[in-house]
Amino acid sequence: SGRTYGTEISMQWRASDRWSFVASHTWLHLDLRADEAPEQESPQHQFQLRSYFDVTPALQLNVAGYYVDAIESPQDNARARIGSHTRVDVGLNWRVHESLDLGIWGQNLLEGSHAEFGSFKTPHLAEIPRSFSLRARWRY
């Protein structure tokens, strides 16, 4: 049992017809009563800043930066401290046709990987690796 409360603030700014920004901050406070209180398993602060830039009417560049506060996480029947991390993602989308978009994305570009959470089932922390992906979206 216990209480949780917090806030989330988001702002959008359209710098021009072709460029916009979105910024947000989330604050979470948990006050729970339990033998293994999970309050440290959720980050208290999270920030993000995203930029959307229309290079041409058919080509859009997306850049996003994220900050996540440190947490404590279960790890093999114990608790492990997982430090805060900063992540940057970049994507390029091309509207080939009104029904077809193609994209290339890179995620977690600042680091090869970072820990995000643990588990009671394994002594290993889950590492989120740098990744790249291709995307095709067909709308009908």
PDB file of all heavy atoms in Angstrom, residues 18 54-60 93-95:
ATOM      1  N   ARG A  18       8.823  24.177 -41.428  1.00  0.00           N
ATOM      2  CA  ARG A  18       9.502  22.910 -41.677  1.00  0.00           C
ATOM      3  C   ARG A  18      10.148  22.288 -40.442  1.00  0.00           C
ATOM      4  O   ARG A  18      10.632  21.170 -40.497  1.00  0.00           O
ATOM      5  CB  ARG A  18      10.587  23.126 -42.746  1.00  0.00           C
ATOM      6  CG  ARG A  18      10.011  23.540 -44.079  1.00  0.00           C
ATOM      7  CD  ARG A  18      11.047  23.904 -45.101  1.00  0.00           C
ATOM      8  NE  ARG A  18      12.213  23.029 -45.082  1.00  0.00           N
ATOM      9  CZ  ARG A  18      13.353  23.307 -45.669  1.00  0.00           C
ATOM     10  NH1 ARG A  18      13.482  24.447 -46.331  1.00  0.00           N
ATOM     11  NH2 ARG A  18      14.364  22.485 -45.620  1.00  0.00           N
ATOM     12  N   ASP A  54      11.617  18.916 -41.729  1.00  0.00           N
ATOM     13  CA  ASP A  54      11.277  18.526 -43.096  1.00  0.00           C
ATOM     14  C   ASP A  54      12.366  19.036 -44.024  1.00  0.00           C
ATOM     15  O   ASP A  54      12.385  20.224 -44.381  1.00  0.00           O
ATOM     16  CB  ASP A  54       9.914  19.097 -43.501  1.00  0.00           C
ATOM     17  CG  ASP A  54       8.778  18.523 -42.689  1.00  0.00           C
ATOM     18  OD1 ASP A  54       8.885  17.343 -42.276  1.00  0.00           O
ATOM     19  OD2 ASP A  54       7.786  19.231 -42.465  1.00  0.00           O
ATOM     20  N   VAL A  55      13.281  18.154 -44.409  1.00  0.00           N
ATOM     21  CA  VAL A  55      14.374  18.516 -45.304  1.00  0.00           C
ATOM     22  C   VAL A  55      13.794  18.914 -46.658  1.00  0.00           C
ATOM     23  O   VAL A  55      14.189  19.920 -47.249  1.00  0.00           O
ATOM     24  CB  VAL A  55      15.372  17.343 -45.442  1.00  0.00           C
ATOM     25  CG1 VAL A  55      16.502  17.698 -46.386  1.00  0.00           C
ATOM     26  CG2 VAL A  55      15.909  16.933 -44.074  1.00  0.00           C
ATOM     27  N   THR A  56      12.865  18.119 -47.154  1.00  0.00           N
ATOM     28  CA  THR A  56      12.073  18.411 -48.349  1.00  0.00           C
ATOM     29  C   THR A  56      10.643  17.999 -48.004  1.00  0.00           C
ATOM     30  O   THR A  56      10.414  17.393 -46.954  1.00  0.00           O
ATOM     31  CB  THR A  56      12.566  17.601 -49.576  1.00  0.00           C
ATOM     32  OG1 THR A  56      12.249  16.218 -49.369  1.00  0.00           O
ATOM     33  CG2 THR A  56      14.068  17.779 -49.801  1.00  0.00           C
ATOM     34  N   PRO A  57       9.670  18.270 -48.874  1.00  0.00           N
ATOM     35  CA  PRO A  57       8.317  17.801 -48.571  1.00  0.00           C
ATOM     36  C   PRO A  57       8.215  16.278 -48.415  1.00  0.00           C
ATOM     37  O   PRO A  57       7.322  15.781 -47.735  1.00  0.00           O
ATOM     38  CB  PRO A  57       7.493  18.281 -49.769  1.00  0.00           C
ATOM     39  CG  PRO A  57       8.220  19.505 -50.237  1.00  0.00           C
ATOM     40  CD  PRO A  57       9.680  19.185 -50.032  1.00  0.00           C
ATOM     41  N   ALA A  58       9.159  15.533 -48.991  1.00  0.00           N
ATOM     42  CA  ALA A  58       9.091  14.075 -48.924  1.00  0.00           C
ATOM     43  C   ALA A  58      10.109  13.462 -47.959  1.00  0.00           C
ATOM     44  O   ALA A  58      10.082  12.259 -47.727  1.00  0.00           O
ATOM     45  CB  ALA A  58       9.308  13.482 -50.313  1.00  0.00           C
ATOM     46  N   LEU A  59      11.005  14.264 -47.377  1.00  0.00           N
ATOM     47  CA  LEU A  59      12.083  13.733 -46.542  1.00  0.00           C
ATOM     48  C   LEU A  59      12.082  14.429 -45.183  1.00  0.00           C
ATOM     49  O   LEU A  59      12.150  15.661 -45.113  1.00  0.00           O
ATOM     50  CB  LEU A  59      13.425  13.971 -47.243  1.00  0.00           C
ATOM     51  CG  LEU A  59      14.642  13.238 -46.727  1.00  0.00           C
ATOM     52  CD1 LEU A  59      14.473  11.729 -46.889  1.00  0.00           C
ATOM     53  CD2 LEU A  59      15.880  13.700 -47.494  1.00  0.00           C
ATOM     54  N   GLN A  60      11.975  13.643 -44.111  1.00  0.00           N
ATOM     55  CA  GLN A  60      11.937  14.210 -42.755  1.00  0.00           C
ATOM     56  C   GLN A  60      13.058  13.608 -41.910  1.00  0.00           C
ATOM     57  O   GLN A  60      13.246  12.394 -41.884  1.00  0.00           O
ATOM     58  CB  GLN A  60      10.597  13.921 -42.080  1.00  0.00           C
ATOM     59  CG  GLN A  60      10.472  14.601 -40.723  1.00  0.00           C
ATOM     60  CD  GLN A  60       9.160  14.304 -40.024  1.00  0.00           C
ATOM     61  OE1 GLN A  60       8.865  13.167 -39.707  1.00  0.00           O
ATOM     62  NE2 GLN A  60       8.374  15.356 -39.801  1.00  0.00           N
ATOM     63  N   ASN A  93      13.090   9.643 -42.613  1.00  0.00           N
ATOM     64  CA  ASN A  93      11.914   9.067 -43.278  1.00  0.00           C
ATOM     65  C   ASN A  93      11.732   9.687 -44.652  1.00  0.00           C
ATOM     66  O   ASN A  93      11.827  10.902 -44.803  1.00  0.00           O
ATOM     67  CB  ASN A  93      10.646   9.317 -42.456  1.00  0.00           C
ATOM     68  CG  ASN A  93      10.597   8.475 -41.226  1.00  0.00           C
ATOM     69  OD1 ASN A  93      10.957   7.304 -41.240  1.00  0.00           O
ATOM     70  ND2 ASN A  93      10.168   9.070 -40.132  1.00  0.00           N
ATOM     71  N   TRP A  94      11.425   8.834 -45.607  1.00  0.00           N
ATOM     72  CA  TRP A  94      11.206   9.279 -46.983  1.00  0.00           C
ATOM     73  C   TRP A  94       9.822   8.837 -47.426  1.00  0.00           C
ATOM     74  O   TRP A  94       9.513   7.645 -47.413  1.00  0.00           O
ATOM     75  CB  TRP A  94      12.278   8.680 -47.883  1.00  0.00           C
ATOM     76  CG  TRP A  94      12.116   8.952 -49.351  1.00  0.00           C
ATOM     77  CD1 TRP A  94      11.644  10.088 -49.932  1.00  0.00           C
ATOM     78  CD2 TRP A  94      12.443   8.052 -50.411  1.00  0.00           C
ATOM     79  NE1 TRP A  94      11.658   9.969 -51.292  1.00  0.00           N
ATOM     80  CE2 TRP A  94      12.149   8.719 -51.616  1.00  0.00           C
ATOM     81  CE3 TRP A  94      12.959   6.766 -50.460  1.00  0.00           C
ATOM     82  CZ2 TRP A  94      12.343   8.142 -52.858  1.00  0.00           C
ATOM     83  CZ3 TRP A  94      13.164   6.186 -51.695  1.00  0.00           C
ATOM     84  CH2 TRP A  94      12.858   6.865 -52.876  1.00  0.00           C
ATOM     85  N   ARG A  95       8.988   9.801 -47.789  1.00  0.00           N
ATOM     86  CA  ARG A  95       7.651   9.484 -48.311  1.00  0.00           C
ATOM     87  C   ARG A  95       7.791   9.271 -49.819  1.00  0.00           C
ATOM     88  O   ARG A  95       7.868  10.215 -50.587  1.00  0.00           O
ATOM     89  CB  ARG A  95       6.659  10.597 -48.015  1.00  0.00           C
ATOM     90  CG  ARG A  95       5.305  10.302 -48.659  1.00  0.00           C
ATOM     91  CD  ARG A  95       4.198  11.081 -48.075  1.00  0.00           C
ATOM     92  NE  ARG A  95       3.856  10.434 -46.811  1.00  0.00           N
ATOM     93  CZ  ARG A  95       2.960  10.917 -45.980  1.00  0.00           C
ATOM     94  NH1 ARG A  95       2.338  12.019 -46.245  1.00  0.00           N
ATOM     95  NH2 ARG A  95       2.700  10.293 -44.864  1.00  0.00           N
TER      96      ARG A  95
END
